């Protein structure tokens, strides 16, 4: 597949997650919430996670922002559901490395998340893509401290 076709496919995946977000909403029972925003562009996210026995049982998000931030939140919630906290944090680390244009563990199947790798070429948009991931990391850290 040529670069242009791959780029187009990635754009379609991002727009699909933006227009048809997965896991949009919030959780009430036994979950914790994290609110974060990106003041430079106005993106904001309200993330709720339900963690039981160290496993992310469910994840939902709400908020507003650009297509990249909302698509990334959709992809992140899909990626961490059913994963133990350690694997969810590892995914976040891999995603962060990918956003910075660094080498990352490509043995891990990133699924739709891989569509965001082109964001690394646009430094001003990296914070958009990482907002939901940073919220998840913050929430896990706060939950572990309690």
């Amino acid at each position: 597949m040529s670069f242009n076709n791959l780029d187009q496919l990635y754009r379609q995946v991002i727009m699909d997650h933006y227009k048809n977000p997965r896991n949009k909403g919030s959780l009430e029972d036994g979950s914790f919430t994290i609110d974060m925003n990106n003041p430079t562009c106005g993106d904001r996210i309200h993330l709720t996670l339900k963690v039981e026995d160290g496993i992310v049982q469910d994840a939902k998000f709400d908020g507003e922002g650009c297509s990249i931030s909302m698509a990334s939140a959709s992809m992140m919630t899909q990626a961490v559901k059913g994963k133990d906290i350690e694997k969810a944090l590892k995914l976040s680390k891999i995603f962060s490395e990918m956003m910075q244009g660094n080498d990352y563990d490509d043995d891990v199947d990133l699924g739709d998340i891989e569509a965001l790798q082109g964001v690394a070429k646009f430094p001003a948009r990296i914070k958009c893509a990482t907002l939901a991931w940073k919220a998840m990391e913050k929430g896990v850290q706060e939950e572990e401290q309690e």
Side-chain angles (χ1 to χ4, degrees), residues 21-80:
R22 282 56 151 188
N23 306 303
K24 185 113 184 198
S26 63
L27 300 167
E28 301 301 323
D29 57 328
S31 54
F32 57 94
T33 63
I34 309 95
D35 290 301
M36 287 188 80
N37 68 4
N38 179 355
T40 57
C41 67
D43 295 340
R44 64 174 189 77
I45 187 167
H46 177 79
L47 179 67
T48 53
L49 296 171
K50 181 176 184 177
V51 178
E52 291 177 355
D53 301 321
I55 308 285
V56 179
Q57 299 294 329
D58 206 353
K60 299 244 186 227
F61 79 97
D62 209 346
E64 57 191 35
C66 68
S67 59
I68 290 172
S69 69
M70 295 295 103
S72 184
S74 174
M75 293 175 193
M76 185 276 297
T77 56
Q78 275 198 304
V80 301

Side-chain angles (χ1 to χ4, degrees), residues 6-7 37 47 53 65 73 75 80 85 111 124 129-130 136 143:
L6 188 60
D7 192 45
N37 68 4
L47 179 67
D53 301 321
M75 293 175 193
V80 301
I85 293 297
T130 58
M136 186 268 296
E143 187 67 11

